[in-house]
Amino acid sequence: MEELTKMDRRQFLGALGGLTLSSCGRKAAPPRRGKGGGGSSGDGTDLEGSPPRPLEGSGQGRTSGHDAGHGGAVPDGGAAGGGAADAGAPRQASGTEGPDVPMFRGNPSHTFYGTGPLAESLTVLWKHRMGTFVSPAAAHRKEKPWTGTGWTGTAVAVGDRVYVGSLDSNLYAYEASTGKVAWRYKAGAMFKSSACYHAGRLFIGNVDNGLHCVDAATGKGLWRFETGRDLDSSPCVADGKLYFGGENGYLHCLEPESGKIIWRTFLGGLEGPLGSGGVESSPAVAGGAVFASTYSGLLFCVDALSGAIRWKARTRGDTDVS
């Protein structure tokens, strides 16, 4: 078999998602810091469907097609999780050097596919058995156990830490070189989103309808943003702004430090069943635009600064691809 000179994207993501690490050392790059700040309101016209009503105390703004500069997140008092087994910041590991992978698909534009070369066979250096989450019985289903890392969630790696959310409702931080659990953060339900690392914090969605902001060094919950429906979309930080979709039909833009809304734009998709509607895709950011798709079979291009919709294209089916 011809020796590979580049890492295949699926192999790379599969290796991260399964926590099978062939090299554990990475150069710890400093986090990108952008301008931050707010945005002016735009015109969210030509949208299909209607936006949902805001939740009481959810930190959401107006429910027009596009909202700007309203609301914020609720501070996490620590009851939801946290606990520091190792309070040290992520650090460079010894061994083969490589880049950090701070978010889903490596960067805001989702174009990272690895650096290679990749050996024909990988060696398992460590593994860790995660727990199980049991969803309660309901009128339409029996009680069901869930385990693993979800359908979409993959690990992210920064310095000597590997972070991954699990269906057992924990966000784990591992020492990349040993597999030792540095800390675990407990949320209200399953993690299906990938985490995003930025400026010493982790941002990750959960099926408990919230986006969680967690201290990457200690595992302490800092704040939580309530969306009202499942949150499978993997967050993305670009130019100092935090972007993510939600099954509430909105594309959100927040301040990473505080969780305050900069803008949110309603994209629709609420005709889908609970657990499948709205914006399940993970936003990609490039050229001053945010790209996200919906259950309605529409791909949207949204202005990254204002939240105004630039254009949309029909895909003819439920589109979760990122």
Side-chain angles (χ1 to χ4, degrees):
M1 185 178 204
E2 186 175 320
E3 189 169 333
L4 297 176
T5 57
K6 285 190 177 181
M7 183 184 294
D8 179 79
R9 185 189 318 197
R10 291 184 179 178
Q11 290 174 314
F12 175 80
L13 294 176
L16 278 181
L19 296 178
T20 301
L21 305 179
S22 60
S23 92
C24 300
R26 281 160 294 276
K27 288 182 179 178
R32 287 181 65 189
R33 295 182 184 273
K35 297 178 182 179
S40 59
S41 66
D43 182 11
T45 57
D46 194 26
L47 294 178
E48 298 182 5
S50 58
R53 297 172 59 188
L55 298 175
E56 291 292 325
S58 67
Q60 297 182 1
R62 299 190 302 272
T63 56
S64 60
H66 165 77
D67 297 335
H70 288 263
V74 178
D76 191 328
D86 178 359
R91 56 200 178 278
Q92 182 177 338
S94 60
T96 305
E97 296 180 345
D100 289 343
V101 185
M103 65 185 71
F104 179 59
R105 293 185 175 171
N107 57 33
S109 59
H110 295 173
T111 55
F112 179 73
Y113 58 87
T115 57
L118 181 68
E120 283 193 29
S121 61
L122 300 179
T123 300
V124 177
L125 300 181
W126 54 262
K127 60 184 177 180
H128 174 251
R129 170 68 66 183
M130 298 176 180
T132 300
F133 176 81
V134 179
S135 57
H140 62 287
R141 67 168 187 264
K142 298 180 180 179
E143 181 180 89
K144 185 172 183 179
W146 303 83
T147 189
T149 55
W151 291 273
T152 55
T154 59
V156 298
V158 178
D160 190 30
R161 289 281 176 85
V162 175
Y163 306 97
V164 65
S166 172
L167 292 187
D168 69 6
S169 74
N170 286 297
L171 171 63
Y172 290 89
Y174 298 94
E175 292 184 359
S177 55
T178 66
K180 178 183 177 182
V181 176
W183 53 256
R184 68 187 72 193
Y185 169 86
K186 183 76 170 178
M190 300 179 288
F191 283 107
K192 292 164 65 179
S193 164
S194 299
C196 175
Y197 177 97
H198 172 74
R201 296 181 172 200
L202 295 164
F203 306 93
I204 186 168
N206 191 272
V207 178
D208 67 4
N209 305 339
L211 180 80
H212 297 252
C213 174
V214 180
D215 187 283
T218 66
K220 178 182 178 182
L222 300 176
W223 52 258
R224 177 182 179 277
F225 183 88
E226 172 67 33
T227 67
R229 289 183 68 166
D230 284 8
L231 191 54
D232 297 349
S233 175
S234 296
C236 169
V237 174
D239 298 321
K241 295 180 177 61
L242 172 64
Y243 303 95
F244 63 96
E247 291 186 27
N248 61 359
Y250 280 96
L251 177 64
H252 306 78
C253 176
L254 307 183
E255 295 178 355
E257 180 71 21
S258 65
K260 180 181 178 181
I261 294 178
I262 298 173
W263 55 258
R264 64 177 192 146
T265 299
F266 184 70
L267 303 184
L270 297 189
E271 70 275 19
L274 288 175
S276 294
V279 185
E280 289 190 297
S281 66
S282 302
V285 183
V290 187
F291 301 88
S293 53
T294 68
Y295 181 89
S296 301
L298 292 170
L299 170 67
F300 288 84
C301 175
V302 178
D303 188 275
L305 290 178
S306 69
I309 295 173
R310 294 183 180 180
W311 53 259
K312 63 182 179 179
R314 190 167 295 280
T315 64
R316 304 296 178 184
D318 179 13
T319 307
D320 296 343
V321 68
S322 301

